[in-house]
Amino acid sequence: MSAAPMMATSMMATACAGLTTPRAEQSCHEASLSLGPGDRLTDSHCHLLASSEGEFQACLLSYLKSPVAHFSLYSTTLDNAQRVAAALRALPPEAQARFSLGLGLHPWFLNSATFERELAGLIALYDELKRDQPQLLGPCWGEVGLDQKHPGCLPLNEQQALLNEFIAATQDRCGAYSLHCVGAQSALLAVLRSKQITGIVHGFSGKVAAALQLVARGLKLGLGPKVLRPEQEHKWRALLTAPELAGSWCLETDWDRGPYEGTLLARIAQRVDSLKAAR
Ligand SMILES: [Zn+2]
């Protein structure tokens, strides 16, 4: 990993730094998305999910063994947030410093019946971490957002209402969000309209025009494993070479499938560099 391409890493450094509220303001998460030592990479969006305690601990160990310098983990449910927070709090300081945690309710798991309880639980957890271990809080709330394609999601208007409620309840503590947006960009922009918030639309895979809309709104764009697919090379090259989008990208694995694949982020960074170079 120490040989990771500098172009991609410097891109991340400029892309994500703008999300960090100056520490002096003390109004937002303490952690930043800055790079690790040397040119080692930061994974700006990933998850720690497992079906059993044993698998959970094995997953955590796989993150620690990987060459990635820092992980911005995001929760999917209140239960996941509490579990990850407890695991991170139990780590020794040196290992703990490699993680930050964003608190959110993923649109795939939204449930109108439990939303209020989960939201209240996340805010309570945020306040507890802010008081006791603020360094563990990531730069954004999340993962939250809208999804019109995944089977079983709530109707879009209900998702919009819950996202509005989530933002209204949390933005005074931190006004940045890691946003999931699948087939719902217009609806997302409608939710964000007139709100004084920022964030990252993670896992972006749209076209240049869509990217420009989001960046004009002050959002960053997460670039994940989809860039590795051989198809759509022309689209990715157009995105990565558009001058208006320079400085808007954050690299991520969106890892959510058990033991962390330690080379994935470096492969994404290398692919980005080769796409940018092949102009
Ligand atoms: Zn995710």
Side-chain angles (χ1 to χ4, degrees):
M1 184 64 71
S2 59
M6 289 304 293
M7 194 185 301
T9 52
S10 60
M11 176 181 74
M12 279 192 301
T14 52
C16 300
L19 282 174
T20 308
T21 298
R23 282 172 188 269
E25 294 181 20
Q26 293 292 308
S27 61
C28 200
H29 299 169
E30 297 280 337
S32 77
L33 286 171
S34 61
L35 293 175
D39 60 355
R40 293 174 71 204
L41 295 172
T42 289
D43 190 340
S44 71
H45 183 108
C46 51
H47 303 279
L48 191 50
L49 296 170
S51 54
S52 69
E53 187 55 31
E55 191 190 345
F56 190 85
Q57 290 302 327
C59 284
L60 183 57
L61 194 61
S62 70
Y63 277 77
L64 288 167
K65 282 182 173 173
S66 88
V68 172
H70 193 270
F71 308 93
S72 289
L73 293 169
Y74 286 95
S75 79
T76 53
T77 63
L78 172 61
D79 178 68
N80 179 242
Q82 291 171 331
R83 203 168 177 184
V84 175
L88 297 184
R89 294 175 93 167
L91 289 174
E94 198 173 308
Q96 197 183 76
R98 293 178 64 192
F99 296 94
S100 65
L101 176 60
L103 305 179
L105 302 175
H106 194 291
W108 292 359
F109 308 111
L110 280 180
N111 180 332
S112 304
T114 58
F115 178 80
E116 303 291 343
R117 180 183 66 78
E118 292 206 273
L119 177 56
L122 286 184
I123 291 171
L125 178 58
Y126 180 97
D127 289 344
E128 192 181 312
L129 289 171
K130 182 82 176 174
R131 185 189 66 227
D132 298 339
Q133 286 166 300
Q135 73 282 2
L136 273 180
L137 284 170
C140 302
W141 292 96
E143 177 171 356
V144 294
L146 304 173
D147 196 317
Q148 274 218 100
K149 294 189 174 171
H150 190 75
C153 286
L154 294 175
L156 187 61
N157 63 332
E158 287 184 42
Q159 293 185 49
Q160 282 181 289
L162 297 184
L163 181 57
N164 266 316
E165 194 175 335
F166 191 102
I167 292 170
T170 55
Q171 65 179 338
D172 286 349
R173 287 173 171 80
C174 171
Y177 298 81
S178 183
L179 297 160
H180 175 107
C181 180
V182 176
Q185 182 159 322
S186 299
L188 179 66
L189 288 170
V191 168
L192 302 185
R193 193 168 298 135
S194 79
K195 290 185 174 68
Q196 298 295 312
I197 65 168
T198 184
I200 306 171
V201 175
H202 100 87
F204 182 81
S205 64
K207 295 182 178 172
V208 170
L212 290 172
Q213 260 190 326
L214 296 170
V215 168
R217 172 59 186 74
L219 298 166
K220 306 289 184 187
L221 304 170
L223 195 61
K226 285 182 181 167
V227 77
L228 296 173
R229 296 179 186 170
E231 67 268 19
Q232 298 189 319
E233 190 170 320
H234 179 78
K235 180 190 82 172
W236 290 116
R237 195 173 300 130
L239 283 163
L240 290 165
T241 57
E244 307 93 322
L245 299 175
S248 295
W249 301 102
C250 306
L251 300 192
E252 61 171 64
T253 62
D254 197 18
W255 191 261
D256 62 359
R257 313 175 274 284
Y260 189 76
E261 211 285 75
T263 66
L264 180 55
L265 193 64
R267 285 190 281 126
I268 292 169
Q270 284 159 3
R271 173 72 167 160
V272 166
D273 280 351
S274 70
L275 285 167
K276 291 177 77 169
R279 303 176 74 159

